[in-house]
Amino acid sequence: MIVDKLGRRFRNLRVSLTAACNYACTYCVPDGKRLLKARNELPATDLLNAVVLLQQATGINKVRITGGEPLVAPRFDDFLLGVMDLELSDVSLTTNGQLLLKKKDVIAESGLKRINISLDTLNPLRFKQIARGGDLETVLSGIDSMLDLGLRIKINMVPLRTQNLSEILPMLDFCLERGIELRFIELMRMGHLLHSSSFSTDFVSMETLLEVIGEQYEFTRTNAPYDSTAVRFHIPDKGVFGVIANESEPFCRSCTRLRLSSDGYLYGCLSSINKHYIGDLLTSPPHLVLPGLQDILAKALGDKKLAFQGEVTVMKLIGG
Ligand code: SAM
């Protein structure tokens, strides 16, 4: 097992099924171009094989399927069914929810238990301005369809000072009424935001968020697992919400995440530009595969930082 000085090891794998996305969220895709894939995306069988090998090499036992938008990838069905057949302690999916109605049957067939759906606003016009693709009603129907299936749902919202600050409480009410855990993601200095003034203009800190929520609700901080990304709060008789506080309270020192991009690169840290290609290893003679992977994983673990600094890497390329 590869472990660093802080006791960090890889336990959670995020697989980006494709870099293509049917949205072009202002904070993620500055040029507004949708559906752009990475140049050499690996076939589903290679990505699945990579998951099996990473499981053997590092003891990874949790996999999140993400993107880009994973549901636009033609290989989504095969990959989901394949991953669900592996002996993993947890499989989850992160999606913008636009295609959930279309994928309801395969999700039911797969036995998936939990899903994260990204939604930044309940206002249809605002939705179009932020996501620059899709429509709100379809996402809301998709959320209902997942509730019908009995999936455990978390909704991810990125609060942006100039765009959806007034929707923090309506979004929280929407989630509490449905037994959904809302997770506010502090805006991260990724991609174009690393060197853009729009980061500081739009950034909403955990402190500000809690002030806004405190106007309506009393809440207390609750325990979160050791390597959780979120700080969690309990509102008595109502439910729970979380904050992924990359800036205010970074979780880098207990980070166990590893990312695999759709074009076959491993990323050990969001705050590092380093990436490690494993596409060719997947077709190497079997006796070379695991040692080769161990070398690469040691390098990827060495990329982990002590605090979140952001990077020019675009979230949709590496699997948010
Ligand atoms: N398309 C899927 C979705 O929308 O959930 C998965 C990929 S998306 C990159 C994953 C998450 O990253 C979304 O919740 C999105 O809001 C978030 N995200 C992207 N760029 C971000 C940034 N700069 N800061 C904070 N969150 C970001």
Side-chain angles (χ1 to χ4, degrees):
M1 179 108 36
I2 308 161
V3 183
D4 75 5
K5 279 187 206 146
L6 293 183
R8 294 180 295 193
R9 63 186 181 90
F10 292 125
R11 252 167 39 104
N12 293 258
L13 176 67
R14 297 193 172 189
V15 183
S16 172
L17 261 198
T18 177
C21 187
N22 44 358
Y23 288 5
C25 297
T26 49
Y27 51 82
C28 188
V29 186
D31 61 11
K33 288 188 185 150
R34 285 184 271 136
L35 295 171
L36 284 187
K37 290 204 264 181
R39 213 170 282 157
N40 295 307
E41 300 204 327
L42 300 182
T45 43
D46 283 11
L47 287 176
L48 206 52
N49 187 21
V51 176
V52 173
L53 291 167
L54 289 166
Q55 198 183 3
Q56 290 168 6
T58 67
I60 272 173
N61 55 17
K62 296 182 174 186
V63 171
R64 173 176 295 284
I65 305 169
T66 177
E69 173 47 43
L71 301 195
V72 303
R75 56 226 173 134
F76 171 75
D77 298 14
D78 287 345
F79 188 79
L80 174 66
L81 295 170
V83 165
M84 292 300 290
D85 271 349
L86 303 177
E87 282 185 15
L88 295 159
S89 66
D90 184 51
V91 179
S92 56
L93 168 67
T94 301
T95 171
N96 60 33
Q98 197 60 222
L99 294 174
L100 277 174
L101 280 180
K102 290 197 176 134
K103 294 294 177 185
K104 184 177 177 182
D105 289 348
V106 69
I107 289 174
E109 181 191 342
S110 75
L112 186 75
K113 297 277 181 295
R114 51 187 213 96
I115 187 165
N116 285 16
I117 302 171
S118 303
L119 180 64
D120 294 329
T121 171
L122 291 168
N123 174 315
L125 193 64
R126 190 60 79 195
F127 180 95
K128 295 252 179 239
Q129 286 165 345
I130 299 176
R132 300 189 291 183
D135 72 287
L136 176 63
E137 276 310 311
T138 311
V139 179
L140 297 180
S141 307
I143 292 172
D144 285 343
S145 73
M146 295 298 106
L147 286 170
D148 288 348
L149 287 183
L151 263 71
R152 205 144 53 83
I153 303 181
K154 287 180 187 153
I155 288 186
N156 291 341
M157 171 187 184
V158 180
L160 302 160
R161 191 169 289 279
T162 63
Q163 304 199 50
N164 59 1
L165 201 58
S166 60
E167 293 187 59
I168 289 170
L169 286 171
M171 283 284 296
L172 184 57
D173 290 339
F174 173 89
C175 290
L176 292 171
E177 280 159 19
R178 289 164 179 76
I180 293 173
E181 181 169 332
L182 180 58
R183 295 206 150 179
F184 300 99
I185 310 181
E186 277 187 353
L187 187 63
M188 291 186 264
R189 308 160 196 263
M190 297 299 294
H192 68 294
L193 293 179
L194 185 67
H195 300 300
S196 161
S197 59
S198 64
F199 174 78
S200 38
T201 311
D202 265 328
F203 179 76
V204 178
S205 68
M206 176 160 75
E207 190 184 357
T208 305
L209 267 168
L210 297 182
E211 271 168 29
V212 173
I213 295 169
E215 286 165 16
Q216 183 159 327
Y217 292 111
E218 284 186 12
F219 53 82
T220 49
R221 192 163 168 160
T222 66
N223 289 337
Y226 153 78
D227 60 350
S228 165
T229 51
V231 182
R232 295 174 85 232
F233 299 89
H234 178 240
I235 303 177
D237 304 324
K238 293 278 183 190
V240 170
F241 70 92
V243 184
I244 302 182
N246 297 286
E247 293 283 331
S248 307
E249 209 169 297
F251 49 88
C252 305
R253 284 176 169 271
S254 57
C255 178
T256 56
R257 265 148 284 274
L258 174 69
R259 289 177 163 82
L260 173 63
S261 66
S262 54
D263 54 354
Y265 287 91
L266 286 178
Y267 293 78
C269 178
L270 276 184
S271 277
S272 168
I273 191 80
N274 294 348
K275 56 181 185 176
H276 310 273
Y277 189 60
I278 59 162
D280 44 8
L281 249 187
L282 300 175
T283 51
S284 301
H287 68 285
L288 296 180
V289 176
L290 278 182
L293 210 46
Q294 301 274 6
D295 284 351
I296 290 178
L297 285 164
K299 288 185 190 136
L301 192 62
D303 294 336
K304 283 202 180 296
K305 301 276 186 290
L306 297 179
F308 184 77
Q309 298 155 11
E311 202 23 277
V312 289
T313 327
V314 177
M315 289 288 275
K316 82 177 198 97
L317 289 179
I318 57 174

